[in-house]
Amino acid sequence: MKWMSKKTVLISFFIVSMLVSSFGSAYAAANLEPIKAFFNRSVSFVLNGERWEPKDTKGKPLSPIYYNGTNYLPVRALAEALKVPIDLDASGQIIYIGGKPGEKTPIFAVPMEIDNIYAVSTKDPAETLVKDTQFKQILKIDQYGDIVFKIDRKYKRLVLNAAVISPGEHEVEFTLYNAGEAAGNAAETALEMHKVSPDDPVTQMVFNVEGLEKVKIHVQSHLLNPYIYARIVDTSYFDNGDSSSKNP
């Protein structure tokens, strides 16, 4: 009986470890099919009129794989370049491109710009009690104000929950604008507008934000100057639900 050398054992163990870490399970191995392909290092890319080089998560340049007459790029590099969200469900072997259906991102988890004068964020319990419901955080707009969200085309909808509290006396308009740098003159065009009355409970408004990089919500009474006491509450969120949904 021949004994394997220590070096052989170590090499064998390394190969087994690599196989286990690569395939994870017998199921994964059974569903991976070997192919003969090549890295195509002669291809260059132009994205939206500018030269673009795909890179991995560590910033290392990537070359497309050429197989059977077609060039293939890693889906993550391409999705990030196109500013499309991408997620992997490793257990179910599902790659979500464009966001997971039903997943909600609270508005306070999204990059936001406010002036802290006309639009103010607060966690003060005395301020976050809205229509007899205690929230953890709100945006309060007592006269008029703008809230700008940087969403990088990641979402289809903004679901905004808001109310007008006492002593508000006027109906309040919540208007959506395209605040992206490429919007140009179109940034002055209202894309969508909903109204909330002081008599209404906390009201849910659904805005279509699909394909937009930055959006602005302008809050104001149609009478322009009076105090309105509008409150946007922390149950508001962005998601990738059906952008054609109507307000409840």
Side-chain angles (χ1 to χ4, degrees), residues 15 40 51 60 75 80 85 89 99 113 128-129 201 203 223 228 237:
I15 293 173
N40 188 351
R51 290 293 295 269
K60 182 180 178 181
V75 65
E80 290 179 352
D89 177 359
E113 300 170 20
T128 56
L129 181 64
T203 301
L223 298 176
I228 55 176
Y237 58 88

Side-chain angles (χ1 to χ4, degrees), residues 180-239:
E181 293 181 2
N185 293 334
E188 302 300 319
T189 301
L191 300 179
E192 200 170 340
M193 190 260 287
H194 300 287
K195 298 179 181 180
V196 178
S197 165
D199 296 328
D200 294 335
V202 174
T203 301
Q204 188 171 94
M205 299 165 279
V206 180
F207 296 88
N208 178 7
V209 298
E210 188 171 5
L212 301 178
E213 295 186 356
K214 267 188 176 184
V215 295
K216 178 177 74 175
I217 294 292
H218 179 70
V219 184
Q220 185 171 304
S221 165
H222 66 282
L223 298 176
L224 302 182
N225 289 320
Y227 284 87
I228 55 176
Y229 300 97
R231 302 291 185 264
I232 296 174
V233 300
D234 56 14
T235 55
S236 304
Y237 58 88
F238 288 91
D239 74 359

Side-chain angles (χ1 to χ4, degrees), residues 107-188:
I107 61 168
F108 289 105
V110 175
M112 179 191 305
E113 300 170 20
I114 56 175
D115 59 26
N116 286 308
I117 298 175
Y118 296 107
V120 178
S121 173
T122 179
K123 295 182 179 180
D124 183 346
E127 299 277 8
T128 56
L129 181 64
V130 179
K131 298 288 182 176
D132 298 321
T133 299
Q134 188 71 61
F135 297 92
K136 293 182 179 180
Q137 188 171 4
I138 65 164
L139 288 166
K140 64 173 188 173
I141 303 98
D142 288 343
Q143 188 170 5
Y144 58 85
D146 293 326
I147 305 101
V148 176
F149 297 99
K150 184 180 179 183
I151 57 175
D152 290 331
R153 303 178 185 175
K154 291 181 179 179
Y155 309 104
K156 292 182 179 179
R157 306 191 309 170
L158 166 57
V159 180
L160 205 66
N161 296 320
V164 180
I165 65 169
S166 178
E169 299 176 353
H170 302 281
E171 190 174 58
V172 175
E173 298 171 349
F174 294 79
T175 307
L176 174 71
Y177 294 88
N178 181 357
E181 293 181 2
N185 293 334
E188 302 300 319

Side-chain angles (χ1 to χ4, degrees), residues 42-105:
S42 64
V43 172
S44 59
F45 300 90
V46 177
L47 178 66
N48 295 326
E50 297 182 1
R51 290 293 295 269
W52 172 70
E53 183 180 35
K55 296 181 180 180
D56 64 15
T57 55
K58 296 181 179 180
K60 182 180 178 181
L62 296 170
S63 296
I65 292 175
Y66 182 80
Y67 170 68
N68 199 23
T70 302
N71 288 295
Y72 294 87
L73 270 174
V75 65
R76 179 172 296 279
L78 190 57
E80 290 179 352
L82 296 174
K83 298 181 179 178
V84 176
I86 181 168
D87 290 285
L88 169 65
D89 177 359
S91 60
Q93 289 295 293
I94 301 173
I95 296 175
Y96 293 95
I97 303 172
K100 293 182 180 179
E103 189 171 68
K104 301 175 181 178
T105 302

